């Protein structure tokens, strides 16, 4: 059996550390199991959130939606991706014309094999992050931006990752690529499994390939923890 977990919103609150009690539980739970982590995030943020111990002790960690792969602390593979001028202009247009007026800087974050784009900016406070998340759920701004990017640039894929941003990468280089390396039955835990979310490609591929699997669409880390307790 293989267990695949998203991180932000699934094992930790978005961009925040894992609950210490859940961390203790999870550290024991992963022992003797095939556990993989897949996130849009980079290595530094991931370690900050889940701790080096969990990061090193799972089978593999797929950063940047699988565009950078780490095994027990060793870099295995990575792919590069950057925005061309046209894409950057298009995103800058969205930034300048958004109905969300408060901007805090760090709107484009270059990760390995992925660019993370945020209208509010990654330098926003936790309070502003939550305000934007709530507003975006009503306005559907990120969904609109993702759809327009993919319409204008057919070689590019854009997906809603966490609370305030969009993950952008080469078409097909989404989280589902991790399944190329993992064979057999999969239990997948994620909070963005609906169409347009960055966990969706894994769910879709498991279903299409008729692979033995179970999808756990969670709304927060506590739900993940409760499910794992019942699996035990
Ligand atoms: O910071 C890590 C997360 O960054 C984005 O989420 P958010 O919009 O909440 O900052 C996304 O890239 C997400 O995939 C990633 O886990």
């Amino acid at each position: 059996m293989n267990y695949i977990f998203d991180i932000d919103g699934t094992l930790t609150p978005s961009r925040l550390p894992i609950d210490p009690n859940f961390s203790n539980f999870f550290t024991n739970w992963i022992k003797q199991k095939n556990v993989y982590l897949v996130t849009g995030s980079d290595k530094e943020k991931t370690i900050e959130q889940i701790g080096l111990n969990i990061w090193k002790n799972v089978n593999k960690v797929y950063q940047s939606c699988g565009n950078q792969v780490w095994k027990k602390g060793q870099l295995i593979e990575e792919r590069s991706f950057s925005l061309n001028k046209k894409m950057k202009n298009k995103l800058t247009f969205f930034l300048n014309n958004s109905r969300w007026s408060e901007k805090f800087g760090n709107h484009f974050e270059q990760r390995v094999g992925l660019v993370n784009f945020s209208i509010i900016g990654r330098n926003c406070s936790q309070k502003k992050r939550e305000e934007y998340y709530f507003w975006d759920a009503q306005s559907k701004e990120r969904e609109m931006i993702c759809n327009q990017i993919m319409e204008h640039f057919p070689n590019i894929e854009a997906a809603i990752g966490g609370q305030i941003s969009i993950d952008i990468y080469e078409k097909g280089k989404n989280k589902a690529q991790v399944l190329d390396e993992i064979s057999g039955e999969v239990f997948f835990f994620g909070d963005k499994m609906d169409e347009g979310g960055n966990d969706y490609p894994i769910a879709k591929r498991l279903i299409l390939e008729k692979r033995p699997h179970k999808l756990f669409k969670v709304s927060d880390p506590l739900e993940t923890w409760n499910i794992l307790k019942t699996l035990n």
Side-chain angles (χ1 to χ4, degrees):
M1 171 64 71
N2 303 288
Y3 300 89
I4 307 178
F5 295 88
D6 162 56
I7 298 180
D8 290 69
T10 300
L11 292 180
T12 77
S14 274
R15 273 306 285 129
L16 290 173
I18 187 168
D19 175 282
N21 294 322
F22 183 29
S23 172
N24 286 338
F25 170 91
F26 196 67
T27 301
N28 280 316
W29 189 87
I30 61 178
K31 287 178 185 159
Q32 320 297 330
K33 293 189 179 71
N34 291 326
V35 178
Y36 302 87
L37 306 181
V38 56
T39 169
S41 194
D42 56 34
K43 172 184 160 241
E44 288 70 27
K45 292 188 193 71
T46 302
I47 293 175
E48 187 187 297
Q49 289 174 232
I50 59 163
L52 190 59
N53 193 33
I54 292 175
W55 188 81
K56 270 195 167 171
N57 281 302
V58 294
N59 293 50
K60 281 187 187 169
V61 185
Y62 297 95
Q63 308 286 169
S64 298
C65 293
N67 290 301
Q68 189 186 47
V69 187
W70 293 83
K71 186 177 181 182
K72 309 279 178 195
Q74 299 294 317
L75 179 63
I76 299 294
E77 204 186 326
E78 62 182 7
R79 166 177 304 107
S80 61
F81 171 78
S82 52
L83 297 173
N84 65 30
K85 204 165 173 222
K86 272 191 172 172
M87 291 171 206
K88 184 103 192 236
N89 287 344
K90 185 78 185 161
L91 292 169
T92 304
F93 173 84
F94 289 127
L95 190 58
N96 294 336
N97 292 281
S98 168
R99 286 193 290 119
W100 180 270
S101 58
E102 292 175 291
K103 313 274 161 58
F104 295 91
N106 198 8
H107 302 280
F108 297 88
E109 186 174 81
Q110 180 69 56
R111 299 181 183 167
V112 178
L114 180 153
V115 171
N116 182 261
F117 173 66
S118 169
I119 291 286
I120 181 170
R122 304 197 62 77
N123 293 344
C124 67
S125 64
Q126 184 64 26
K127 183 170 174 284
K128 289 291 165 191
R129 165 183 272 274
E130 273 148 32
E131 281 176 25
Y132 179 83
Y133 182 49
F134 182 76
W135 177 80
D136 178 65
Q138 322 291 316
S139 66
K140 307 264 182 242
E141 175 176 69
R142 289 189 296 168
E143 189 180 313
M144 176 278 290
I145 295 175
C146 287
N147 290 339
Q148 288 214 22
I149 294 171
M150 290 189 284
E151 216 171 277
H152 278 80
F153 305 101
N155 298 331
I156 296 305
E157 214 170 303
I160 296 172
Q163 288 180 308
I164 55 162
S165 64
I166 288 168
D167 290 336
I168 303 171
Y169 34 77
E170 202 182 299
K171 188 163 184 171
K173 300 303 175 195
N174 54 49
K175 286 189 180 183
Q177 63 185 317
V178 311
L179 296 173
D180 294 345
E181 299 186 356
I182 302 170
S183 53
E185 188 169 4
V186 168
F187 277 14
F188 176 49
F189 293 75
D191 69 321
K192 292 282 185 293
M193 252 186 245
D194 290 334
E195 191 164 4
N198 70 358
D199 295 325
Y200 176 72
I202 296 191
K204 186 177 163 198
R205 183 166 162 186
L206 286 169
I207 295 166
L208 283 178
E209 288 183 354
K210 297 195 170 70
R211 207 194 282 200
H213 70 274
K214 196 156 181 192
L215 301 175
F216 297 90
K217 186 185 153 198
V218 297
S219 44
D220 55 33
L222 185 60
E223 192 177 351
T224 306
W225 190 3
N226 285 333
I227 294 168
L228 295 184
K229 283 180 197 160
T230 69
L231 290 183
N232 258 354

